[in-house]
Amino acid sequence: MIGASAGACASPSAPAAVDPAAARAGQGPGKEEAAVDPLSRVVPAPATVRTGGEPYVIGSRDRIGVPAGDPAARRVGDYLAELLRPATGFELPVTTRSGDAGVRLRIAQVRGVGPEGYRLETGGGAVTISAPEPAGLFHGVQTLRQLLPAAVERRTPQPGPWLVPGVTITDSPRYAYRGAMLDVARHFFTVQQVKRYIDQLALYKINKLHLHLSDDQGWRIAVDSWPRLASYGGSTQVGGGPGGFYTKDDYREIVRYAASRHLTVVPEIDMPGHTNAALASYAELNCDGVAPPLYTGTEVGFSSLCVPKEVTYRFVRDVLRELAELTPGPYLHIGGDEAHSTSHADYVTFMDRVQPLVAERGKTVVGWHQLTGARPAPGAVAQYWGLDGKEKEVADAARAGTKIILSPANRAYLDMKYTKDTPLGLDWAGYVEVRQSYDWDPGRYLQDVPPSAVLGVEAPLWSETISTSDHIEYLAFPRLPGIAELGWSPPSRHDWSSYRVRLAAQGPRWDAMGVDFYRSPQVPWPSE
């Protein structure tokens, strides 16, 4: 726990036992639960909801039906079974005989639904999730999970009942890119800690995990052609701790695990600035040929790769090649922010040389929005982290075809303090309480940028002040679900007064999951 203000909700009292048949008929303790408006507890808000259908109670004899001959859909079924078994105590075998299953996962075209969309409906003695792709099934499972009582998240048997309200939900995301960034450079986080965060992101239909793998304080990925980057450059962190790095097998495991939760990893090697760990590891990357000492502070803007040297581009090519070989996703992030020690002319020259190296690997280049002050390559993506959305260079690049990811620091940066009294985080972009983080529209945020230029949203979490999973959770929750909703739900569903009620319903769920979180006074959390 992060001090008294963390305030994870107390465990809700266990619901009374209920006869599944009676609950399915709308009688007994299941009746009130069946009448609950699903929109009152689901985040992100689904696109369309029709209530009033026949509710369903998941019972001890139920099976999970999956399509035959579709291993990806089968994996979603196995994932659902693993989620439900501990708390329900049910066996929930996964079967291709979907006709007798209580929960049915179907690969099928659904009108008006894209590749990540789904339809969830109760009725006919089952809960059915239909989707054109396994990703849609997986997102539908997250909605089903939130329709069930919060106690379903516990890892020991609970009394239930496991009632799904009568509903038909048809849902698709607003944006294709819905990301969260974790800075593992300033403080290193282990594979298990990253996996834990991936599981939490998946609940809210986040589909991109941006890993900030290098900075002044540490280099976190093994590179065979430049081995001292990890062994020496990764040997410390902010405050002088032991640091660490991912072996290639470690990184592959993160990529594999993220893919199993339908998240794509977006790796970032920040350059030409934020490079002290690399400069300390290899003297030849410095213009004067002298390696600086390792750095454990938090100041920015003092380091730069040597733009005129050809060895710089051999270094960048090697790093991007090895990283691309490990990364099946389409994006490589090259940073580009706060390059204060690089002249504008050198910055433009550097980006002109490096962007083609990304294309050489068959990847799409992503850079922080300072990239728009150079010459963004065709198809490049710029990630906006400013404060007011008025940068002319960003608007000009967007109108010329550069796609934009929205991460305004005073809205989406999860490392900003909630208030002056909260113990973790920074305040250079101001204090960012839950409502401020949620109450904005990505499609209309940037001045003179057409809504069609917006690729999506991302919630970055920089790690100057955090070093544990509890720290991650305290800053991410309850703000992360709001950014997820801005990325998923249609604008018509964005409403603070209703969102705060749905967000409050997540409190008991986080408590059941063992997630630390900030008990914002702006949210009507359930009382004990």
Side-chain angles (χ1 to χ4, degrees):
M1 300 298 292
I2 312 301
S5 61
C9 290
S11 300
S13 57
V18 66
D19 172 50
R24 286 179 180 132
Q27 302 168 357
K31 186 175 182 180
E32 290 183 6
E33 184 73 16
V36 169
D37 177 3
L39 279 182
S40 71
R41 62 189 190 196
V42 175
V43 178
T48 63
V49 178
R50 180 167 54 83
T51 59
E54 181 187 351
Y56 187 79
V57 174
I58 298 174
S60 60
R61 296 183 180 180
D62 275 339
R63 299 168 178 264
I64 296 173
V66 298
D70 192 325
R74 172 66 185 236
R75 285 192 290 272
V76 177
D78 291 339
Y79 167 87
L80 175 58
E82 290 169 7
L83 277 176
L84 299 182
R85 283 169 181 155
T88 65
F90 303 154
E91 291 185 10
L92 297 172
V94 180
T95 176
T96 56
R97 294 172 55 190
S98 61
D100 60 358
V103 180
R104 301 169 182 168
L105 306 182
R106 300 173 59 246
I107 295 293
Q109 294 302 313
V110 179
R111 186 176 180 180
V113 161
E116 288 191 276
Y118 65 92
R119 183 177 62 221
L120 184 154
E121 52 193 333
T122 57
V127 177
T128 303
I129 303 174
S130 305
E133 301 287 345
L137 290 182
F138 186 82
H139 298 319
V141 161
Q142 306 312 316
T143 299
L144 172 61
R145 184 177 173 184
Q146 293 188 39
L147 291 173
L148 289 164
V152 79
E153 306 293 347
R154 296 193 179 273
R155 300 293 88 189
T156 56
Q158 306 293 309
W162 309 112
L163 189 143
V164 185
V167 67
T168 299
I169 294 173
T170 305
D171 203 9
S172 273
R174 180 184 186 185
Y175 293 119
Y177 191 108
R178 305 176 309 282
M181 188 214 78
L182 183 61
D183 172 14
V184 299
R186 290 184 174 89
H187 278 99
F188 180 67
F189 293 95
T190 67
V191 172
Q192 286 306 120
Q193 288 174 309
V194 175
K195 284 182 174 182
R196 178 175 173 85
Y197 197 40
I198 288 170
D199 280 332
Q200 294 160 1
L201 299 175
L203 176 58
Y204 298 102
K205 303 182 176 71
I206 294 293
N207 69 349
K208 302 290 187 294
L209 174 64
H210 171 182
L211 289 177
H212 185 76
L213 291 168
S214 69
D215 214 296
D216 292 315
Q217 299 85 353
W219 185 283
R220 307 303 183 200
I221 182 69
V223 178
D224 293 340
S225 54
W226 298 77
R228 275 176 57 85
L229 291 171
S231 63
Y232 183 68
S235 65
T236 191
Q237 59 189 19
V238 166
F245 66 91
Y246 304 120
T247 67
K248 287 190 169 183
D249 282 345
D250 288 338
Y251 181 82
R252 289 186 187 101
E253 176 58 17
I254 291 171
V255 169
R256 182 205 66 78
Y257 194 81
S260 76
R261 271 63 177 160
H262 291 271
L263 279 83
T264 299
V265 171
V266 179
E268 179 189 355
I269 301 297
D270 207 348
M271 49 187 157
H274 289 278
T275 47
N276 193 80
L279 299 173
S281 301
Y282 287 96
E284 59 265 43
L285 298 177
N286 297 270
C287 285
D288 61 4
V290 178
L294 293 169
Y295 181 68
T296 62
T298 59
E299 295 300 315
V300 300
F302 61 89
S303 61
S304 180
L305 293 171
C306 189
V307 174
K309 279 189 169 183
E310 281 303 311
V311 68
T312 295
Y313 304 102
R314 178 165 61 84
F315 160 77
V316 172
R317 177 180 280 109
D318 288 343
V319 169
L320 293 179
R321 171 178 51 78
E322 293 194 34
L323 194 55
E325 289 169 353
L326 295 170
T327 304
Y331 301 109
L332 291 182
H333 201 306
I334 60 172
D337 62 319
E338 296 174 324
H340 304 321
S341 295
T342 312
S343 71
H344 177 70
D346 276 357
Y347 184 87
V348 173
T349 297
F350 181 83
M351 288 304 176
D352 283 349
R353 292 286 303 271
V354 168
Q355 289 181 92
L357 301 181
V358 176
E360 208 174 79
R361 310 318 306 176
K363 304 293 186 181
T364 295
V365 67
V366 185
W368 298 106
H369 75 259
Q370 284 74 19
L371 177 63
T372 63
R375 288 183 281 263
V381 176
Q383 184 168 357
Y384 180 81
W385 61 278
L387 301 178
D388 60 14
K390 296 180 180 179
E391 288 83 352
K392 182 178 183 299
E393 291 171 338
V394 175
D396 289 345
R399 289 195 300 270
T402 298
K403 293 292 187 181
I404 309 294
I405 298 167
L406 270 293
S407 300
N410 57 349
R411 303 282 188 168
Y413 267 34
L414 301 179
D415 54 294
M416 291 298 107
K417 292 170 72 76
Y418 295 95
T419 72
K420 65 181 178 61
D421 298 319
T422 48
L424 298 173
L426 304 173
D427 61 7
W428 61 264
Y431 302 122
V432 182
E433 252 286 10
V434 178
R435 181 169 187 172
Q436 180 166 321
S437 184
Y438 174 80
D439 219 0
W440 60 286
D441 181 359
R444 303 171 68 179
Y445 183 82
L446 293 174
Q447 184 173 298
D448 299 325
V449 169
S452 60
V454 177
L455 183 62
V457 297
E458 182 176 291
L461 180 50
W462 301 97
S463 66
E464 286 95 336
T465 69
I466 64 173
S467 58
T468 70
S469 287
D470 273 356
H471 293 165
I472 290 173
E473 291 160 14
Y474 180 77
L475 289 177
F477 297 96
R479 290 180 291 199
L480 182 280
I483 303 300
E485 176 152 308
L486 295 179
W488 180 278
S489 306
S492 61
R493 292 294 194 192
H494 297 169
D495 174 71
W496 168 250
S497 61
S498 65
Y499 172 71
R500 65 195 289 267
V501 174
R502 289 182 289 110
L503 184 62
Q506 302 299 306
R509 190 168 302 275
W510 295 334
D511 182 62
M513 295 168 66
V515 171
D516 194 6
F517 67 99
Y518 166 64
R519 195 182 179 100
S520 169
Q522 296 183 341
V523 180
W525 307 107
S527 58
E528 295 185 16

